[in-house]
Amino acid sequence: MLQMITGTLRCLLLLLIVSGCRPSSEAVILRFMDRPDVGGAWEYLIQSFEQQHPGYRVNLIEGPNNTDTRESLYAMALLAQDPTYDLIFLDVTWLAKFAQAGWLLPLDDWVDPGILADLFPGDLKASKFQGRLYRLPLRTDAGVLYGRTDLLSQAHLPPPQTFNQLTQAARQLMQPPRRWGYVFQGMQYEGLVVNFLEVLRGWGGELLDSRGWVVLDQPAAVAALRWMRDLLTPPAVAPPGVTTYQEEEARAMFQKGRSVFMRNWPYAVKLMNSPSSPVAGKFGLYALPHGPRGQSTPTLGGWGFGISVYSRHPEAAYAFIRHCLEGKNQKRLHQLTGLLPARVSVYDDPELLRTSPYLKVMRTILAQARPRPVHPLYARISDILQVRLSAALIGQLSPEAAIKTAAQEIRVVLGESDG
C-alpha cells in the first residue's frame, strides 16, 4: 500500500511540475506550490513583483487543497534534491521537520531587521528551529471565540472571559436542538489538537516543557479534557455531532444561527458578514476563555516562506519574500482574501480598520498566540493526541486515562521511555 501511495504522489508531483512550468526564457524563474489561488492574492503578488523585477518570473504550481498531500509532495522533491521549488510555502507546523532535514536555508543573514521587529512574537518563535530563522510568515492566524452580540445584549451578559462563564452563558442562551451553546472542532484530526492546546494552556498546562520533555500528564491537562468532554455530557452545551466537526461544519452551525458561541479562525468573519448571512452584524470576536490559573492562549496558525537549499536562485527567492512582506502588499493580501497580515504595523492602517474593524481586536489576540510545539516529530505527537482526545470526547476513555496514555505514548516516540 505504501508503495502505491508513494507512486501516486510521485506521478502527481511530476504532473504538477510539468503543468506549472512555462516555456524557458532568459528570465530567472522561481517556483513554489500552494493550493489554487483564491481571491487573486497570488496573482496580484506575482504580477506586481514581476513588474518591479523585469528579469524575474514567478510560477505558482497549483497543488492539491489537502495540506498533508502538499507537504508530502514538497518532501518528496526535497528528498530527491530536486531544485524545482525555489520557495517552500510552509504551514507553521512543518518548520521543524523541514529544517532538521536540512532542506531550508537559514535566513538570519538575509532578513531585514525591520521586518523581524514587525512580526508577532508567536510567528517569530514558530519560524525558528534550534535558534536559527528558517521561515518568514506571509499571513498569520489565531483561534478566536465568536459570540452572538444580539443574544448577549438582550440577556445583559458580558462576553465570557473564563471557561465557567462560557458554559454558564451558553446554557442560559441556548435552546437545543434549535440553538446550541457552543461549537468547536471536535473531529479526530489536527483541529482537535489545536482546540485542546488552547484549553490546556487556558488551564495553565503544557504539552512539552522548554527542554522538549513531555509534561502533559498533569492535573491541568485532565481538567482541560474534562471540561471539553463535559460540553457533550447531558445537559450538553455542544451538539452531539460536534465530534464530527471541522472548521466549516462549526461555521455552518454558527452562521445559521444555531449556536451562541463558536471557536474558529478569523477567516470566517468575511463569510459570516456576507449579505445573505443570518448572523451578519450580530456577532463579535473575543479572546478565548481561560481557567482560574491560566490565561487566554490562542494557538498560532498561518503560512510562510522558506527557501530550498536546492534552489538555484536563492537571492531572487528572498526578493520575492521581501516583496510579499511589504506593507502595501500585506494590506492588499487582506483586502483580496480576508486573511490576516503577518506585519504588525499593517493593523494600524486607517483604511483597513474602517473596512475590517475586527483587526483591532485581532492585533491583541495575535500578540498572545503561541505556536504548537516546534518539534520535528510534531506530526506523530499530534497523531497520538488526536486518537486519545477523540476517545475521551466520545466516552471510550476517561479524561484521566486518555491523558495518561497519550503522555506515555508520546514519551516513547520522543525517546524518553523504553516503551
Side-chain angles (χ1 to χ4, degrees), residues 30-358:
L30 302 172
R31 298 184 181 92
F32 69 98
M33 176 174 56
D34 189 25
R35 63 186 179 186
D37 193 10
V38 176
W42 284 131
E43 180 181 4
Y44 163 77
L45 290 169
I46 290 171
Q47 286 186 356
S48 56
F49 177 75
E50 291 177 348
Q51 288 170 0
Q52 295 173 29
H53 302 81
Y56 296 159
R57 296 289 180 269
V58 181
N59 279 5
L60 163 64
I61 297 176
E62 294 189 343
N65 275 312
N66 184 275
T67 299
D68 292 341
T69 306
R70 292 204 305 279
E71 180 186 13
S72 297
L73 291 169
Y74 269 131
M76 186 174 297
L78 293 164
L79 277 169
Q81 302 184 13
D82 186 330
T84 296
Y85 299 116
D86 303 276
L87 293 150
I88 311 298
F89 195 54
L90 297 149
D91 179 84
V92 69
T93 62
W94 302 356
L95 189 280
K97 173 182 172 181
F98 280 47
Q100 187 184 53
W103 293 338
L104 302 175
L105 285 177
L107 302 177
D108 306 82
D109 296 333
W110 297 54
V111 67
D112 304 335
I115 292 178
L116 292 181
D118 200 24
L119 299 177
F120 290 100
D123 266 321
L124 196 54
K125 183 175 182 180
S127 299
K128 291 184 176 181
F129 179 68
Q130 296 181 344
R132 305 206 68 178
L133 183 75
Y134 289 96
R135 167 188 178 269
L136 283 169
L138 173 65
R139 58 180 174 86
T140 191
D141 223 342
V144 294
L145 178 69
Y146 290 78
R148 286 284 299 276
T149 51
D150 55 336
L151 299 177
L152 289 169
S153 177
Q154 290 168 13
H156 304 290
L157 289 173
Q161 296 184 12
T162 68
F163 293 122
N164 284 339
Q165 289 173 357
L166 172 62
T167 51
Q168 289 171 4
R171 290 188 194 284
Q172 182 174 338
L173 299 175
M174 68 183 191
Q175 297 174 353
R178 184 175 67 88
R179 184 173 68 219
W180 292 91
Y182 182 58
V183 290
F184 60 100
Q185 292 75 58
M187 184 177 173
Q188 183 180 315
Y189 81 120
E190 174 65 13
L192 174 58
V193 178
V194 168
N195 278 247
F196 171 72
L197 287 176
E198 290 168 342
V199 180
L200 171 66
R201 289 165 171 169
W203 281 99
E206 285 292 345
L207 172 55
L208 306 180
D209 66 12
S210 59
R211 302 167 297 175
W213 291 11
V214 179
V215 292
L216 176 66
D217 41 352
Q218 299 291 326
V222 175
L225 188 52
R226 183 180 295 120
W227 182 80
M228 294 178 71
R229 189 206 56 184
D230 287 350
L231 295 171
L232 290 156
T233 303
V237 170
V242 80
T243 53
T244 66
Y245 286 6
Q246 297 190 23
E247 284 82 355
E248 280 298 273
E249 289 80 7
R251 180 181 69 83
M253 285 289 285
F254 189 84
Q255 188 163 334
K256 291 175 183 174
R258 297 198 58 203
S259 183
V260 181
F261 297 106
M262 172 180 70
R263 184 275 171 205
N264 214 322
W265 303 95
Y267 82 94
V269 172
K270 188 173 184 179
L271 297 169
M272 296 197 301
N273 270 331
S274 63
S276 61
S277 171
V279 298
K282 298 179 181 178
F283 66 90
L285 266 65
Y286 313 106
L288 292 168
H290 57 81
R293 295 183 180 178
Q295 59 183 9
S296 176
T297 313
T299 299
L300 184 84
W303 290 76
F305 277 120
I307 299 177
S308 167
V309 295
Y310 306 114
S311 170
R312 298 191 179 104
H313 313 292
E315 295 86 358
Y318 181 69
F320 182 65
I321 297 174
R322 190 173 54 193
H323 175 78
C324 293
L325 284 171
E326 288 181 9
K328 62 181 180 181
N329 295 330
Q330 288 272 288
K331 176 180 176 179
R332 190 62 181 148
L333 170 73
H334 176 76
Q335 290 173 326
L336 289 170
T337 65
L339 299 173
L340 298 178
R343 298 286 295 267
V344 178
S345 56
V346 178
Y347 290 73
D348 292 330
D349 185 278
E351 183 181 359
L352 282 192
L353 288 173
R354 278 195 300 274
T355 56
S356 303
Y358 69 94

Side-chain angles (χ1 to χ4, degrees), residues 366-399:
L366 285 164
Q368 300 171 316
R370 289 180 54 191
R372 283 154 274 186
V374 184
H375 196 288
L377 297 175
Y378 174 75
R380 294 181 64 185
I381 295 171
S382 175
D383 287 343
I384 291 170
L385 284 172
Q386 290 172 33
V387 172
R388 300 307 174 188
L389 297 174
S390 179
L393 288 190
I394 63 177
Q396 290 182 345
L397 283 177
S398 68

Side-chain angles (χ1 to χ4, degrees), residues 357-368:
Y358 69 94
L359 291 180
K360 182 177 181 181
V361 174
M362 283 311 306
R363 177 175 178 161
T364 302
I365 292 175
L366 285 164
Q368 300 171 316

